[in-house]
mmCIF file of all heavy atoms in Angstrom:
data_model
loop_
_atom_site.group_PDB
_atom_site.id
_atom_site.type_symbol
_atom_site.label_atom_id
_atom_site.label_comp_id
_atom_site.label_asym_id
_atom_site.label_seq_id
_atom_site.Cartn_x
_atom_site.Cartn_y
_atom_site.Cartn_z
ATOM 1 N N ALA A 23 92.312 73.271 100.659
ATOM 2 C CA ALA A 23 93.179 74.186 99.929
ATOM 3 C C ALA A 23 94.461 73.467 99.539
ATOM 4 O O ALA A 23 94.890 72.525 100.227
ATOM 5 C CB ALA A 23 93.501 75.415 100.767
ATOM 6 N N ILE A 24 95.071 73.938 98.450
ATOM 7 C CA ILE A 24 96.323 73.357 97.993
ATOM 8 C C ILE A 24 97.215 74.481 97.487
ATOM 9 O O ILE A 24 96.783 75.331 96.712
ATOM 10 C CB ILE A 24 96.076 72.288 96.905
ATOM 11 C CG1 ILE A 24 97.390 71.630 96.482
ATOM 12 C CG2 ILE A 24 95.312 72.847 95.720
ATOM 13 C CD1 ILE A 24 97.182 70.366 95.637
ATOM 14 N N THR A 25 98.448 74.477 97.945
ATOM 15 C CA THR A 25 99.384 75.517 97.530
ATOM 16 C C THR A 25 100.008 75.165 96.178
ATOM 17 O O THR A 25 99.846 74.049 95.665
ATOM 18 C CB THR A 25 100.505 75.677 98.563
ATOM 19 O OG1 THR A 25 101.315 74.483 98.550
ATOM 20 C CG2 THR A 25 99.939 75.881 99.957
ATOM 21 N N SER A 26 100.759 76.097 95.636
ATOM 22 C CA SER A 26 101.422 75.842 94.359
ATOM 23 C C SER A 26 102.457 74.726 94.475
ATOM 24 O O SER A 26 102.757 74.041 93.497
ATOM 25 C CB SER A 26 102.097 77.122 93.859
ATOM 26 O OG SER A 26 103.019 77.608 94.823
ATOM 27 N N GLY A 27 102.937 74.519 95.685
ATOM 28 C CA GLY A 27 103.894 73.437 95.912
ATOM 29 C C GLY A 27 103.259 72.102 96.223
ATOM 30 O O GLY A 27 103.961 71.102 96.377
ATOM 31 N N GLY A 28 101.940 72.099 96.335
ATOM 32 C CA GLY A 28 101.238 70.841 96.557
ATOM 33 C C GLY A 28 100.858 70.546 98.001
ATOM 34 O O GLY A 28 100.266 69.503 98.283
ATOM 35 N N SER A 29 101.163 71.453 98.911
ATOM 36 C CA SER A 29 100.750 71.237 100.295
ATOM 37 C C SER A 29 99.244 71.440 100.407
ATOM 38 O O SER A 29 98.693 72.349 99.800
ATOM 39 C CB SER A 29 101.473 72.215 101.223
ATOM 40 O OG SER A 29 102.871 71.987 101.190
ATOM 41 N N THR A 30 98.628 70.589 101.215
ATOM 42 C CA THR A 30 97.167 70.635 101.334
ATOM 43 C C THR A 30 96.733 70.800 102.782
ATOM 44 O O THR A 30 97.468 70.461 103.717
ATOM 45 C CB THR A 30 96.538 69.345 100.788
ATOM 46 O OG1 THR A 30 97.049 68.220 101.517
ATOM 47 C CG2 THR A 30 96.854 69.155 99.315
ATOM 48 N N ASN A 31 95.545 71.349 102.947
ATOM 49 C CA ASN A 31 94.901 71.326 104.254
ATOM 50 C C ASN A 31 93.406 71.173 104.052
ATOM 51 O O ASN A 31 92.862 71.579 103.021
ATOM 52 C CB ASN A 31 95.246 72.553 105.101
ATOM 53 C CG ASN A 31 94.636 73.821 104.578
ATOM 54 O OD1 ASN A 31 95.103 74.375 103.604
ATOM 55 N ND2 ASN A 31 93.556 74.282 105.213
ATOM 56 N N TYR A 32 92.778 70.557 105.041
ATOM 57 C CA TYR A 32 91.364 70.203 104.932
ATOM 58 C C TYR A 32 90.612 70.613 106.193
ATOM 59 O O TYR A 32 91.164 70.620 107.302
ATOM 60 C CB TYR A 32 91.206 68.688 104.763
ATOM 61 C CG TYR A 32 91.792 68.134 103.496
ATOM 62 C CD1 TYR A 32 93.104 67.681 103.454
ATOM 63 C CD2 TYR A 32 91.025 68.060 102.337
ATOM 64 C CE1 TYR A 32 93.645 67.175 102.279
ATOM 65 C CE2 TYR A 32 91.552 67.547 101.159
ATOM 66 C CZ TYR A 32 92.860 67.109 101.145
ATOM 67 O OH TYR A 32 93.388 66.601 99.979
ATOM 68 N N ALA A 33 89.348 70.883 106.014
ATOM 69 C CA ALA A 33 88.478 71.048 107.164
ATOM 70 C C ALA A 33 88.371 69.700 107.865
ATOM 71 O O ALA A 33 88.384 68.645 107.223
ATOM 72 C CB ALA A 33 87.097 71.517 106.718
ATOM 73 N N ASP A 34 88.267 69.728 109.174
ATOM 74 C CA ASP A 34 88.185 68.479 109.933
ATOM 75 C C ASP A 34 87.015 67.623 109.476
ATOM 76 O O ASP A 34 87.099 66.395 109.460
ATOM 77 C CB ASP A 34 88.043 68.785 111.429
ATOM 78 C CG ASP A 34 89.328 69.305 112.038
ATOM 79 O OD1 ASP A 34 90.404 69.141 111.426
ATOM 80 O OD2 ASP A 34 89.259 69.885 113.145
ATOM 81 N N SER A 35 85.949 68.267 109.076
ATOM 82 C CA SER A 35 84.734 67.538 108.711
ATOM 83 C C SER A 35 84.875 66.722 107.430
ATOM 84 O O SER A 35 84.054 65.846 107.163
ATOM 85 C CB SER A 35 83.566 68.519 108.562
ATOM 86 O OG SER A 35 83.854 69.485 107.561
ATOM 87 N N VAL A 36 85.905 67.002 106.622
ATOM 88 C CA VAL A 36 86.054 66.279 105.353
ATOM 89 C C VAL A 36 87.334 65.454 105.283
ATOM 90 O O VAL A 36 87.553 64.747 104.294
ATOM 91 C CB VAL A 36 85.990 67.239 104.153
ATOM 92 C CG1 VAL A 36 84.728 68.096 104.208
ATOM 93 C CG2 VAL A 36 87.236 68.103 104.052
ATOM 94 N N LYS A 37 88.151 65.544 106.300
ATOM 95 C CA LYS A 37 89.410 64.792 106.283
ATOM 96 C C LYS A 37 89.141 63.301 106.118
ATOM 97 O O LYS A 37 88.276 62.738 106.782
ATOM 98 C CB LYS A 37 90.192 65.041 107.573
ATOM 99 C CG LYS A 37 90.904 66.378 107.611
ATOM 100 C CD LYS A 37 91.671 66.563 108.915
ATOM 101 C CE LYS A 37 92.373 67.907 108.939
ATOM 102 N NZ LYS A 37 93.074 68.147 110.235
ATOM 103 N N GLY A 38 89.917 62.687 105.229
ATOM 104 C CA GLY A 38 89.758 61.263 104.983
ATOM 105 C C GLY A 38 88.683 60.926 103.969
ATOM 106 O O GLY A 38 88.585 59.784 103.517
ATOM 107 N N ARG A 39 87.878 61.919 103.588
ATOM 108 C CA ARG A 39 86.810 61.673 102.609
ATOM 109 C C ARG A 39 87.021 62.476 101.328
ATOM 110 O O ARG A 39 86.684 61.995 100.241
ATOM 111 C CB ARG A 39 85.448 62.048 103.201
ATOM 112 C CG ARG A 39 85.083 61.269 104.451
ATOM 113 C CD ARG A 39 83.640 61.549 104.870
ATOM 114 N NE ARG A 39 83.418 62.946 105.235
ATOM 115 C CZ ARG A 39 82.535 63.736 104.634
ATOM 116 N NH1 ARG A 39 81.793 63.285 103.639
ATOM 117 N NH2 ARG A 39 82.380 64.988 105.037
ATOM 118 N N PHE A 40 87.549 63.681 101.453
ATOM 119 C CA PHE A 40 87.756 64.557 100.300
ATOM 120 C C PHE A 40 89.241 64.650 99.981
ATOM 121 O O PHE A 40 90.091 64.624 100.879
ATOM 122 C CB PHE A 40 87.233 65.966 100.575
ATOM 123 C CG PHE A 40 85.733 66.080 100.686
ATOM 124 C CD1 PHE A 40 84.912 64.975 100.746
ATOM 125 C CD2 PHE A 40 85.143 67.342 100.734
ATOM 126 C CE1 PHE A 40 83.533 65.099 100.857
ATOM 127 C CE2 PHE A 40 83.777 67.489 100.840
ATOM 128 C CZ PHE A 40 82.975 66.357 100.901
ATOM 129 N N THR A 41 89.539 64.813 98.695
ATOM 130 C CA THR A 41 90.910 65.004 98.263
ATOM 131 C C THR A 41 90.977 66.142 97.263
ATOM 132 O O THR A 41 90.259 66.133 96.256
ATOM 133 C CB THR A 41 91.468 63.733 97.605
ATOM 134 O OG1 THR A 41 91.394 62.640 98.524
ATOM 135 C CG2 THR A 41 92.925 63.933 97.198
ATOM 136 N N ILE A 42 91.831 67.108 97.551
ATOM 137 C CA ILE A 42 92.038 68.226 96.628
ATOM 138 C C ILE A 42 93.312 67.980 95.833
ATOM 139 O O ILE A 42 94.304 67.467 96.373
ATOM 140 C CB ILE A 42 92.101 69.572 97.387
ATOM 141 C CG1 ILE A 42 92.071 70.746 96.393
ATOM 142 C CG2 ILE A 42 93.308 69.643 98.297
ATOM 143 C CD1 ILE A 42 91.886 72.101 97.068
ATOM 144 N N SER A 43 93.279 68.333 94.568
ATOM 145 C CA SER A 43 94.457 68.204 93.710
ATOM 146 C C SER A 43 94.416 69.301 92.662
ATOM 147 O O SER A 43 93.386 69.970 92.495
ATOM 148 C CB SER A 43 94.501 66.823 93.048
ATOM 149 O OG SER A 43 93.354 66.620 92.245
ATOM 150 N N ARG A 44 95.522 69.487 91.965
ATOM 151 C CA ARG A 44 95.563 70.537 90.957
ATOM 152 C C ARG A 44 96.436 70.118 89.796
ATOM 153 O O ARG A 44 97.369 69.326 89.955
ATOM 154 C CB ARG A 44 96.052 71.860 91.551
ATOM 155 C CG ARG A 44 97.452 71.833 92.114
ATOM 156 C CD ARG A 44 97.768 73.093 92.915
ATOM 157 N NE ARG A 44 98.022 74.251 92.078
ATOM 158 C CZ ARG A 44 98.206 75.481 92.533
ATOM 159 N NH1 ARG A 44 98.126 75.721 93.844
ATOM 160 N NH2 ARG A 44 98.462 76.493 91.705
ATOM 161 N N ASP A 45 96.121 70.677 88.647
ATOM 162 C CA ASP A 45 96.919 70.490 87.436
ATOM 163 C C ASP A 45 97.405 71.881 87.043
ATOM 164 O O ASP A 45 96.647 72.672 86.466
ATOM 165 C CB ASP A 45 96.060 69.860 86.336
ATOM 166 C CG ASP A 45 96.851 69.569 85.070
ATOM 167 O OD1 ASP A 45 97.887 70.235 84.839
ATOM 168 O OD2 ASP A 45 96.430 68.710 84.299
ATOM 169 N N ASN A 46 98.629 72.188 87.381
ATOM 170 C CA ASN A 46 99.142 73.528 87.150
ATOM 171 C C ASN A 46 99.219 73.877 85.657
ATOM 172 O O ASN A 46 99.023 75.035 85.280
ATOM 173 C CB ASN A 46 100.516 73.685 87.787
ATOM 174 C CG ASN A 46 100.446 73.662 89.303
ATOM 175 O OD1 ASN A 46 99.479 74.149 89.890
ATOM 176 N ND2 ASN A 46 101.458 73.106 89.938
ATOM 177 N N ALA A 47 99.487 72.904 84.844
ATOM 178 C CA ALA A 47 99.588 73.160 83.398
ATOM 179 C C ALA A 47 98.250 73.587 82.814
ATOM 180 O O ALA A 47 98.205 74.308 81.811
ATOM 181 C CB ALA A 47 100.098 71.917 82.689
ATOM 182 N N LYS A 48 97.168 73.141 83.446
ATOM 183 C CA LYS A 48 95.824 73.449 82.943
ATOM 184 C C LYS A 48 95.082 74.429 83.839
ATOM 185 O O LYS A 48 93.890 74.677 83.630
ATOM 186 C CB LYS A 48 95.018 72.158 82.805
ATOM 187 C CG LYS A 48 95.598 71.184 81.794
ATOM 188 C CD LYS A 48 94.739 69.940 81.666
ATOM 189 C CE LYS A 48 95.302 68.994 80.618
ATOM 190 N NZ LYS A 48 94.482 67.768 80.474
ATOM 191 N N ASN A 49 95.788 74.981 84.844
ATOM 192 C CA ASN A 49 95.163 75.943 85.765
ATOM 193 C C ASN A 49 93.848 75.411 86.325
ATOM 194 O O ASN A 49 92.837 76.117 86.374
ATOM 195 C CB ASN A 49 94.925 77.285 85.069
ATOM 196 C CG ASN A 49 96.213 77.969 84.687
ATOM 197 O OD1 ASN A 49 97.210 77.885 85.410
ATOM 198 N ND2 ASN A 49 96.217 78.643 83.565
ATOM 199 N N THR A 50 93.885 74.168 86.731
ATOM 200 C CA THR A 50 92.675 73.485 87.179
ATOM 201 C C THR A 50 92.868 72.909 88.570
ATOM 202 O O THR A 50 93.941 72.396 88.889
ATOM 203 C CB THR A 50 92.309 72.360 86.198
ATOM 204 O OG1 THR A 50 92.115 72.907 84.892
ATOM 205 C CG2 THR A 50 91.030 71.658 86.633
ATOM 206 N N VAL A 51 91.820 73.000 89.360
ATOM 207 C CA VAL A 51 91.811 72.382 90.680
ATOM 208 C C VAL A 51 90.616 71.437 90.752
ATOM 209 O O VAL A 51 89.566 71.702 90.179
ATOM 210 C CB VAL A 51 91.751 73.441 91.805
ATOM 211 C CG1 VAL A 51 90.489 74.291 91.730
ATOM 212 C CG2 VAL A 51 91.902 72.798 93.182
ATOM 213 N N PHE A 52 90.830 70.334 91.438
ATOM 214 C CA PHE A 52 89.804 69.300 91.566
ATOM 215 C C PHE A 52 89.478 69.073 93.045
ATOM 216 O O PHE A 52 90.315 69.299 93.921
ATOM 217 C CB PHE A 52 90.293 67.978 90.968
ATOM 218 C CG PHE A 52 90.755 68.083 89.542
ATOM 219 C CD1 PHE A 52 92.106 68.229 89.258
ATOM 220 C CD2 PHE A 52 89.852 68.039 88.500
ATOM 221 C CE1 PHE A 52 92.546 68.326 87.948
ATOM 222 C CE2 PHE A 52 90.281 68.134 87.185
ATOM 223 C CZ PHE A 52 91.630 68.276 86.910
ATOM 224 N N LEU A 53 88.288 68.567 93.270
ATOM 225 C CA LEU A 53 87.911 68.123 94.610
ATOM 226 C C LEU A 53 87.187 66.796 94.459
ATOM 227 O O LEU A 53 86.064 66.748 93.962
ATOM 228 C CB LEU A 53 87.024 69.140 95.321
ATOM 229 C CG LEU A 53 86.703 68.795 96.776
ATOM 230 C CD1 LEU A 53 87.973 68.900 97.633
ATOM 231 C CD2 LEU A 53 85.620 69.713 97.340
ATOM 232 N N GLN A 54 87.867 65.740 94.853
ATOM 233 C CA GLN A 54 87.246 64.411 94.854
ATOM 234 C C GLN A 54 86.555 64.220 96.188
ATOM 235 O O GLN A 54 87.191 64.287 97.238
ATOM 236 C CB GLN A 54 88.306 63.332 94.650
ATOM 237 C CG GLN A 54 87.760 61.914 94.679
ATOM 238 C CD GLN A 54 86.822 61.622 93.522
ATOM 239 O OE1 GLN A 54 87.104 61.976 92.390
ATOM 240 N NE2 GLN A 54 85.713 60.965 93.826
ATOM 241 N N MET A 55 85.258 63.996 96.132
ATOM 242 C CA MET A 55 84.460 63.868 97.341
ATOM 243 C C MET A 55 83.890 62.464 97.421
ATOM 244 O O MET A 55 83.102 62.064 96.552
ATOM 245 C CB MET A 55 83.327 64.902 97.336
ATOM 246 C CG MET A 55 83.811 66.320 97.157
ATOM 247 S SD MET A 55 82.500 67.554 97.318
ATOM 248 C CE MET A 55 81.482 67.148 95.908
ATOM 249 N N ASN A 56 84.310 61.725 98.420
ATOM 250 C CA ASN A 56 83.843 60.360 98.632
ATOM 251 C C ASN A 56 83.062 60.268 99.939
ATOM 252 O O ASN A 56 83.156 61.153 100.795
ATOM 253 C CB ASN A 56 85.025 59.398 98.676
ATOM 254 C CG ASN A 56 85.809 59.365 97.372
ATOM 255 O OD1 ASN A 56 85.255 59.565 96.290
ATOM 256 N ND2 ASN A 56 87.112 59.122 97.479
ATOM 257 N N SER A 57 82.326 59.196 100.080
ATOM 258 C CA SER A 57 81.551 58.952 101.304
ATOM 259 C C SER A 57 80.749 60.187 101.704
ATOM 260 O O SER A 57 80.765 60.626 102.856
ATOM 261 C CB SER A 57 82.490 58.555 102.450
ATOM 262 O OG SER A 57 83.238 57.404 102.103
ATOM 263 N N LEU A 58 80.047 60.734 100.737
ATOM 264 C CA LEU A 58 79.317 61.977 100.978
ATOM 265 C C LEU A 58 78.230 61.792 102.019
ATOM 266 O O LEU A 58 77.573 60.741 102.083
ATOM 267 C CB LEU A 58 78.744 62.500 99.674
ATOM 268 C CG LEU A 58 79.782 63.192 98.770
ATOM 269 C CD1 LEU A 58 79.304 63.251 97.333
ATOM 270 C CD2 LEU A 58 80.075 64.586 99.299
ATOM 271 N N LYS A 59 78.046 62.836 102.818
ATOM 272 C CA LYS A 59 77.059 62.840 103.881
ATOM 273 C C LYS A 59 76.012 63.916 103.598
ATOM 274 O O LYS A 59 76.257 64.849 102.841
ATOM 275 C CB LYS A 59 77.732 63.122 105.220
ATOM 276 C CG LYS A 59 78.832 62.145 105.595
ATOM 277 C CD LYS A 59 79.484 62.556 106.907
ATOM 278 C CE LYS A 59 80.589 61.591 107.296
ATOM 279 N NZ LYS A 59 81.239 61.973 108.581
ATOM 280 N N LEU A 60 74.881 63.782 104.257
ATOM 281 C CA LEU A 60 73.825 64.774 104.085
ATOM 282 C C LEU A 60 74.342 66.183 104.375
ATOM 283 O O LEU A 60 73.975 67.145 103.691
ATOM 284 C CB LEU A 60 72.641 64.460 104.991
ATOM 285 C CG LEU A 60 71.920 63.132 104.743
ATOM 286 C CD1 LEU A 60 70.775 62.966 105.738
ATOM 287 C CD2 LEU A 60 71.402 63.054 103.329
ATOM 288 N N GLU A 61 75.193 66.279 105.369
ATOM 289 C CA GLU A 61 75.699 67.594 105.784
ATOM 290 C C GLU A 61 76.713 68.195 104.815
ATOM 291 O O GLU A 61 77.158 69.326 105.008
ATOM 292 C CB GLU A 61 76.302 67.531 107.197
ATOM 293 C CG GLU A 61 77.335 66.450 107.384
ATOM 294 C CD GLU A 61 76.738 65.185 108.005
ATOM 295 O OE1 GLU A 61 75.621 64.795 107.597
ATOM 296 O OE2 GLU A 61 77.397 64.575 108.860
ATOM 297 N N ASP A 62 77.064 67.457 103.774
ATOM 298 C CA ASP A 62 77.930 68.012 102.734
ATOM 299 C C ASP A 62 77.141 68.814 101.702
ATOM 300 O O ASP A 62 77.732 69.449 100.818
ATOM 301 C CB ASP A 62 78.693 66.901 102.020
ATOM 302 C CG ASP A 62 79.689 66.189 102.920
ATOM 303 O OD1 ASP A 62 80.363 66.874 103.714
ATOM 304 O OD2 ASP A 62 79.775 64.945 102.832
ATOM 305 N N THR A 63 75.828 68.789 101.816
ATOM 306 C CA THR A 63 74.994 69.559 100.899
ATOM 307 C C THR A 63 75.305 71.047 101.034
ATOM 308 O O THR A 63 75.257 71.609 102.128
ATOM 309 C CB THR A 63 73.509 69.314 101.189
ATOM 310 O OG1 THR A 63 73.195 67.942 100.886
ATOM 311 C CG2 THR A 63 72.625 70.222 100.358
ATOM 312 N N ALA A 64 75.643 71.664 99.901
ATOM 313 C CA ALA A 64 76.026 73.081 99.918
ATOM 314 C C ALA A 64 76.335 73.530 98.489
ATOM 315 O O ALA A 64 76.417 72.705 97.579
ATOM 316 C CB ALA A 64 77.268 73.286 100.791
ATOM 317 N N VAL A 65 76.500 74.821 98.350
ATOM 318 C CA VAL A 65 77.084 75.359 97.120
ATOM 319 C C VAL A 65 78.595 75.396 97.325
ATOM 320 O O VAL A 65 79.066 75.946 98.327
ATOM 321 C CB VAL A 65 76.550 76.761 96.798
ATOM 322 C CG1 VAL A 65 77.225 77.311 95.552
ATOM 323 C CG2 VAL A 65 75.036 76.721 96.609
ATOM 324 N N TYR A 66 79.318 74.816 96.405
ATOM 325 C CA TYR A 66 80.778 74.741 96.495
ATOM 326 C C TYR A 66 81.378 75.789 95.562
ATOM 327 O O TYR A 66 81.036 75.860 94.377
ATOM 328 C CB TYR A 66 81.253 73.346 96.133
ATOM 329 C CG TYR A 66 81.000 72.348 97.234
ATOM 330 C CD1 TYR A 66 79.710 71.913 97.536
ATOM 331 C CD2 TYR A 66 82.054 71.849 98.007
ATOM 332 C CE1 TYR A 66 79.467 71.027 98.559
ATOM 333 C CE2 TYR A 66 81.825 70.950 99.039
ATOM 334 C CZ TYR A 66 80.523 70.541 99.315
ATOM 335 O OH TYR A 66 80.298 69.661 100.346
ATOM 336 N N TYR A 67 82.301 76.563 96.122
ATOM 337 C CA TYR A 67 82.928 77.650 95.386
ATOM 338 C C TYR A 67 84.430 77.401 95.236
ATOM 339 O O TYR A 67 85.113 77.047 96.193
ATOM 340 C CB TYR A 67 82.742 78.975 96.121
ATOM 341 C CG TYR A 67 81.310 79.423 96.236
ATOM 342 C CD1 TYR A 67 80.548 79.075 97.340
ATOM 343 C CD2 TYR A 67 80.734 80.218 95.243
ATOM 344 C CE1 TYR A 67 79.229 79.496 97.454
ATOM 345 C CE2 TYR A 67 79.422 80.649 95.354
ATOM 346 C CZ TYR A 67 78.684 80.278 96.462
ATOM 347 O OH TYR A 67 77.381 80.703 96.571
#
């Protein structure tokens, strides 16, 4: 999750591998997922 001020928090299982960011001007949020594992398989909302 990322607040409007840019503060972030992550699930322990993805810390160090995933990065959340946002572009407020475009009302867009991103999730960069690196070093993906089998257990990351899921529907992402």
Side-chain angles (χ1 to χ4, degrees):
I24 183 168
T25 68
S26 57
S29 297
T30 59
N31 70 284
Y32 296 91
D34 288 343
S35 59
V36 307
K37 283 180 180 177
R39 300 188 297 121
F40 291 10
T41 302
I42 190 170
S43 60
R44 62 191 285 174
D45 183 335
N46 291 325
K48 297 182 178 180
N49 295 324
T50 301
V51 61
F52 305 97
L53 186 68
Q54 178 66 44
M55 305 186 295
N56 298 329
S57 302
L58 283 160
K59 302 177 180 180
L60 298 179
E61 52 263 42
D62 294 319
T63 294
V65 177
Y66 285 71
Y67 296 92

